[in-house]
Amino acid sequence: MNITSQIKQPIFSEMELFEKKFHESMTSKVALLNRITYYIVNRKGKQMRPMFVFLTAKMVSGGTVNERTYRGASVIELIHTATLVHDDVVDDSNRRRGFFSINALWKNKIAVLVGDYLLSKGLLLSIDNGDFDLLKIISVAVREMSEGELLQIEKARRLDITEEVYYEIIRKKTATLIAACCALGARSVIEEDDIQVENMRKFGELIGMAFQIKDDLFDYSEEAIGKPTGIDIKEQKMTLPLIHVLNTCSPQEKKWLINSIKNHNKDKKRVKEVIAFVKNNNGLAYAENKMVQFQQEALSLLENYPDSEFKDALILMVNYVIERKK
């Protein structure tokens, strides 16, 4: 049994029912929309977000979920899918998880409208059922994701980004959505306990931070495809290994690095030299160390919960985030 199936095991029946409800929450009277949403549902990824919602809900409640939990998971998936559809338009991307993107198959105009449709479906699913507390958690996450993307665009033009700004960007861009899933799972089953909800939000945020640093490391590692990709360097994306080295090397080396990234990022040989330089100057070791710090802090937040298969699955999830191979 692979690790994702192991994590899913304690919430298997919930995930099956969720898929059915999620599909229903997308339906429309417009045939074109149904064709597109059918396509979206059938090319789903690992479904980490709903898994976080259900595992968190079951761990904090001692094993129960309710209709609010299903709605919360559906809303977050609807809104997250909407942001992905829009992202593919923004990035002019033709692929998503190995499949054609919506904009590649149906053009940008339709993709933007489908994104808007999914967003409004998500909002209405909460409003029609009075789940304003859950809607607030999700709305804050969407706001922060937009801010994170824009902050990255603003800062990436100048390559003198600090570690603090980097953490702010990844907290908003990546971590805030996982934080929302965990807060939402807890809030759906315990409506009065703000401390527990905040505890689970923080747990999700820390996992999200570790998750993004792991992604940064893939650019330099040879695990996934046998050779470092250097894609982030080619796209002038500022990642933690690179930021650390830029902030600790000599002014001369910094000048060479910035020049390489700005003006020679399409030169394969130069990109290889940058990767080697980052590795030799402790960039990877530093980032790995930070990733483990976030992971350990996340695990410490689970310590006070009684042992259960849901808690075990969440611990597995945290470890999977930093041990995954792609």
Side-chain angles (χ1 to χ4, degrees):
M1 189 190 286
N2 69 10
I3 192 152
T4 332
S5 314
Q6 246 175 304
I7 295 165
K8 240 182 210 177
Q9 198 62 36
I11 49 165
F12 188 76
S13 59
E14 284 83 0
M15 288 299 289
E16 289 219 304
L17 183 53
F18 159 74
E19 279 189 32
K20 203 166 138 259
K21 286 176 182 284
F22 178 55
H23 199 173
E24 282 164 12
S25 68
M26 276 190 171
T27 52
S28 151
K29 292 188 174 72
V30 179
L32 173 62
L33 253 174
N34 282 333
R35 269 212 306 283
I36 296 172
T37 53
Y38 182 77
Y39 177 73
I40 290 170
V41 170
N42 283 332
R43 49 167 207 152
K44 60 184 183 293
K46 295 189 191 79
Q47 292 189 302
M48 276 176 72
R49 281 157 300 277
M51 282 157 73
F52 272 122
V53 174
F54 288 112
L55 286 171
T56 308
K58 292 194 105 172
M59 182 185 74
V60 301
S61 68
T64 57
V65 295
N66 55 34
E67 281 304 314
R68 270 163 58 82
T69 320
Y70 284 103
R71 285 198 299 269
S74 290
V75 171
I76 220 152
E77 239 357 38
L78 281 165
I79 291 178
H80 176 245
T81 308
T83 62
L84 292 183
V85 172
H86 283 167
D87 277 354
D88 287 340
V89 174
V90 171
D91 299 338
D92 203 12
S93 172
N94 290 325
R95 294 262 166 184
R96 165 77 57 187
R97 300 189 190 114
F99 293 92
F100 281 115
S101 59
I102 303 298
N103 48 302
L105 292 173
W106 285 282
K107 303 284 178 279
N108 283 351
K109 185 175 180 178
I110 288 178
V112 170
L113 293 168
V114 168
D116 291 346
Y117 172 77
L118 295 172
L119 186 65
S120 63
K121 281 293 244 188
L123 299 175
L124 286 167
L125 184 58
S126 290
I127 292 165
D128 290 346
N129 291 285
D131 298 328
F132 298 107
D133 51 349
L134 305 185
L135 185 56
K136 183 171 184 187
I137 292 171
I138 294 160
S139 301
V140 168
V142 174
R143 184 196 70 205
E144 295 213 315
M145 283 157 68
S146 310
E147 285 177 350
E149 286 283 358
L150 289 163
L151 183 61
Q152 185 175 42
I153 291 167
E154 180 192 339
K155 298 293 182 187
R157 292 199 182 99
R158 313 199 320 274
L159 298 178
D160 58 355
I161 185 171
T162 63
E163 210 171 305
E164 282 63 44
V165 171
Y166 165 81
Y167 289 134
E168 177 72 349
I169 289 169
I170 69 165
R171 187 185 69 72
K172 289 186 159 176
K173 254 189 72 171
T174 306
T176 193
L177 191 66
I178 300 175
C181 292
C182 297
L184 197 116
R187 174 63 81 206
S188 72
V189 289
I190 44 168
E191 291 179 45
E192 301 305 316
D193 193 340
D194 291 346
I195 292 166
Q196 276 210 76
V197 174
E198 173 53 27
N199 192 42
M200 293 322 297
R201 189 202 64 76
K202 187 72 190 158
F203 167 77
E205 182 176 287
L206 291 162
I207 295 175
M209 301 291 276
F211 185 91
Q212 185 56 55
I213 296 172
K214 178 68 175 179
D215 260 9
D216 287 2
L217 288 163
F218 281 139
D219 208 43
Y220 297 90
S221 80
E222 297 175 8
E223 280 177 358
I225 51 171
K227 60 179 189 293
T229 59
I231 288 168
D232 289 339
I233 295 166
K234 289 175 193 132
E235 293 180 356
Q236 300 188 14
K237 268 191 197 146
M238 298 307 286
T239 57
L240 187 57
L242 186 58
I243 291 164
H244 175 69
V245 171
L246 275 171
N247 292 333
T248 51
C249 64
S250 72
Q252 201 55 39
E253 290 167 326
K254 187 171 182 172
K255 209 173 148 188
W256 173 81
L257 264 177
I258 287 179
N259 182 33
S260 303
I261 294 158
K262 274 204 155 154
N263 305 315
H264 304 281
N265 56 4
K266 302 284 186 277
D267 176 344
K268 282 184 182 163
K269 184 169 169 283
R270 192 72 168 258
V271 170
K272 267 187 184 162
E273 285 169 9
V274 170
I275 289 172
F277 186 82
V278 170
K279 281 183 176 173
N280 297 336
N281 285 272
N282 205 31
L284 299 195
Y286 181 82
E288 269 169 21
N289 193 25
K290 284 286 178 194
M291 176 177 74
V292 171
Q293 275 176 24
F294 284 121
Q295 177 218 23
Q296 293 304 320
E297 211 183 319
L299 288 173
S300 72
L301 291 174
L302 297 181
E303 278 170 9
N304 293 331
Y305 288 96
D307 288 339
S308 68
E309 54 180 339
F310 316 114
K311 179 178 169 179
D312 291 345
L314 279 171
I315 293 168
L316 252 182
M317 191 89 128
V318 177
N319 295 331
Y320 166 71
V321 159
I322 71 164
E323 286 160 14
R324 66 202 163 98
K325 298 282 186 276
K326 61 179 178 186

